[in-house]
Amino acid sequence: MQEKVYNVLFLCTGNSARSIMAEALVTTMGKGRFKGFSAGSHPGGAVNPFAIEQVANTGYPIIDLRSKSWDEFGTPDAPHMDFIFTVCDNAAGETCPYWPGHPMSAHWGFEDPAAVVGTDEEKRAAFQRIFRQITARMNIFVSLPLHMLEKNAIQREIQAIGETSV
């Protein structure tokens, strides 16, 4: 019997960095159990080159990365999401579209590495730090025995992951 593949959507305002990195990480770290997606409330239209650097190291196909609106995932023909995570505080405070299927959701806040002003080395270091933080939370998430947990237990666990110090 084939194990269920869980669809996971990561939301951020611009969909250029944190949500992009999370999409790649859940897909690669989930080893076929998870398919990651990302979107933004006001997508910037381009993926940050420092995010692309981080994603390239995961083996995720960077050609699949693009900055897109969360409206794409609120339509009846969109992939059904099992989980939705906001990864920036701005997106967490916005009114989200209706998500078909009533997926479980939580806020996993991370600082915005794209907001760092400085040299390329300083920017790269910020992206590396946030990438490590997302990786730490993703390790916990992809290890959850979702097939054995009931919905309320899963909801408590995913919220607790977002409250974890990284």
Side-chain angles (χ1 to χ4, degrees), residues 12-145:
C12 200
T13 305
N15 188 223
S16 69
R18 293 166 284 186
S19 53
I20 294 284
M21 294 187 295
E23 168 188 343
L25 282 169
V26 78
T27 302
T28 57
M29 293 173 70
K31 297 182 169 75
R33 288 182 53 219
F34 299 92
K35 170 110 175 91
F37 300 88
S38 66
S41 56
H42 299 93
V47 177
N48 188 295
F50 293 108
I52 292 172
E53 278 183 17
Q54 296 302 306
V55 169
N57 295 326
T58 69
Y60 188 81
I62 59 173
I63 195 145
D64 292 348
L65 299 177
R66 65 183 179 88
S67 179
K68 59 206 153 298
S69 173
W70 65 13
D71 293 338
E72 288 186 27
F73 297 96
T75 64
D77 59 335
H80 167 82
M81 292 299 149
D82 298 291
F83 299 95
I84 297 180
F85 299 107
T86 52
V87 292
C88 71
D89 294 337
N90 289 343
E94 292 181 300
T95 302
C96 294
Y98 165 77
W99 305 113
H102 306 289
M104 287 182 264
S105 63
H107 176 61
W108 293 1
F110 298 98
E111 291 178 35
D112 185 2
V116 170
V117 177
T119 66
D120 281 356
E121 291 76 27
E122 291 167 323
K123 293 175 184 178
R124 186 170 286 112
F127 272 83
Q128 290 169 340
R129 182 173 45 81
I130 298 305
F131 189 79
R132 283 191 307 271
Q133 291 175 1
I134 296 170
T135 300
R137 286 190 180 161
M138 210 61 72
N139 270 324
I140 298 167
F141 177 65
V142 301
S143 298
L144 289 174

